[in-house]
Amino acid sequence: MSLFRKSLASLGIGSARVDTLVHQDVLIPGGNLQVEIQIHGGKVSQQIDNIDLYLCCHYREEVESSRGDNQHRKETITQVCKLAEWSLPYAFEIQANEERQFSATLELPFNTPITIGDAKVWLETHLDIPMAVDPKDKDRLTVRPDPLMDGVFTALELAGLRIRQVECEAAKNFALPFVQEFEFVPVSGPYHGRWRELEIVAYRDEQALQLWFEVDRRQNGFSGMLSSLLGRGELKRYLELPTGMHPQQAGEMVLEFLDQHT
């Protein structure tokens, strides 16, 4: 075996490569993600110590920056959050041009962002190869609301509200460093003319769907304010829906809550 080929493989040239196939077109938070991992041998044999998978997303955070003039400014940067990680204990040697396949079922965290608007979620697959650049694969995922959240969205849409923007924003006092904000605008129905926009933050665990609301009646708007209010504990419009509730009932309860508290 050529020492030169080994050296190239350690730099990632002619090394093994990995492709991950996701079997579902649409995923639901809290549900399963079924994948098939295909490993293709390179030009030399290589030892694989592990197969590591990372579920990732983007979120936005405001940070202070200095430009050398002693004045601090705030700027918005994009951060990456690892929502979950898995290590598959497969240690083996893959020969040159050999192909291997492994299957895995992974559980998506409840608070995996829904991929509408600017929200992006992806799965990274890494091969742990000693003394070499780790080959990796990146696959974009489509995540849709679970039935309870879908019931809330359906009720809001029937009441004349439309989603205008969805963003993952940095927030404190949560298990994750961010929350996902849904911004709605009334285009018809009972809230048209009363509100400028409605912001909702949702946080889910095994027992309940937690919702925070902020209503804006002003003309200048407050986009992105909800996550900062959560961090300061100033938000009072809070509703908790048990996970066993019927989706239609959840939507009706949200509308009733908004009518009573706005």
Side-chain angles (χ1 to χ4, degrees):
M1 184 183 299
S2 167
L3 180 62
F4 180 64
R5 283 189 176 183
K6 282 188 175 180
S7 299
L8 288 177
S10 69
L11 297 173
I13 303 171
S15 175
R17 61 183 178 87
V18 58
D19 293 315
T20 300
L21 304 179
V22 178
H23 291 307
Q24 299 109 303
D25 294 329
V26 175
L27 301 165
I28 303 295
N32 289 331
L33 166 61
Q34 296 177 335
V35 298
E36 181 179 298
I37 302 163
Q38 299 179 345
I39 302 174
H40 309 273
K43 295 184 177 180
V44 297
S45 62
Q46 290 180 290
Q47 178 66 32
I48 311 292
D49 280 356
N50 252 327
I51 303 173
D52 299 312
L53 298 107
Y54 306 100
L55 183 69
C56 303
C57 73
H58 285 139
Y59 69 96
R60 303 192 330 158
E61 183 176 17
E62 271 196 355
V63 297
E64 287 193 352
S65 63
S66 176
R67 300 184 180 179
D69 54 5
N70 295 323
Q71 292 187 4
H72 294 278
R73 301 175 177 84
K74 285 190 174 181
E75 63 175 332
T76 301
I77 62 174
T78 299
Q79 304 276 30
V80 174
C81 176
K82 284 185 181 177
L83 299 162
E85 53 185 279
W86 302 271
S87 183
L88 307 184
Y90 298 130
F92 59 95
E93 183 175 354
I94 189 163
Q95 303 299 321
N97 301 315
E98 182 186 2
E99 293 193 2
R100 291 209 182 188
Q101 295 184 352
F102 300 91
S103 297
T105 299
L106 314 173
E107 185 177 344
L108 256 65
F110 282 116
N111 291 290
T112 302
I114 298 167
T115 54
I116 54 178
D118 293 332
K120 295 179 177 61
V121 176
W122 67 93
L123 182 71
E124 289 187 9
T125 307
H126 295 245
L127 298 183
D128 184 4
I129 300 179
M131 306 297 291
V133 176
D134 289 350
K136 61 182 180 180
D137 185 35
K138 182 175 178 179
D139 297 274
R140 286 275 297 273
L141 304 177
T142 299
V143 184
R144 292 294 179 253
D146 64 78
L148 200 60
M149 195 68 196
D150 190 53
V152 173
F153 286 165
T154 298
L156 293 172
E157 184 175 355
L158 291 174
L161 292 154
R162 298 291 182 269
I163 290 181
R164 178 168 65 184
Q165 191 170 347
V166 181
E167 292 182 331
C168 293
E169 298 277 351
K172 298 179 180 179
N173 303 321
F174 285 87
L176 296 172
F178 71 92
V179 290
Q180 189 169 25
E181 293 185 5
F182 303 89
E183 180 185 313
F184 291 81
V185 292
V187 296
S188 63
Y191 307 109
H192 188 242
R194 290 171 53 193
W195 301 348
R196 181 183 181 274
E197 66 183 39
L198 167 70
E199 284 189 4
I200 301 177
V201 158
Y203 190 81
R204 171 78 185 269
D205 58 27
E206 292 184 5
Q207 287 74 40
L209 171 64
Q210 302 174 64
L211 299 170
W212 290 263
F213 305 90
E214 190 68 17
V215 174
D216 179 29
R217 296 183 177 87
R218 301 172 298 171
Q219 293 304 309
N220 54 342
F222 56 46
S223 181
M225 183 182 291
L226 187 49
S227 60
S228 62
L229 290 174
L230 286 170
R232 298 199 298 269
E234 297 178 4
L235 202 64
K236 297 178 181 177
R237 296 188 183 99
Y238 168 79
L239 179 64
E240 188 171 299
L241 305 174
T243 54
M245 178 176 286
H246 190 278
Q248 183 177 345
Q249 184 184 1
E252 292 170 353
M253 184 174 289
V254 166
L255 293 180
E256 181 180 348
F257 177 87
L258 290 172
D259 287 335
Q260 291 177 353
H261 294 82
T262 60

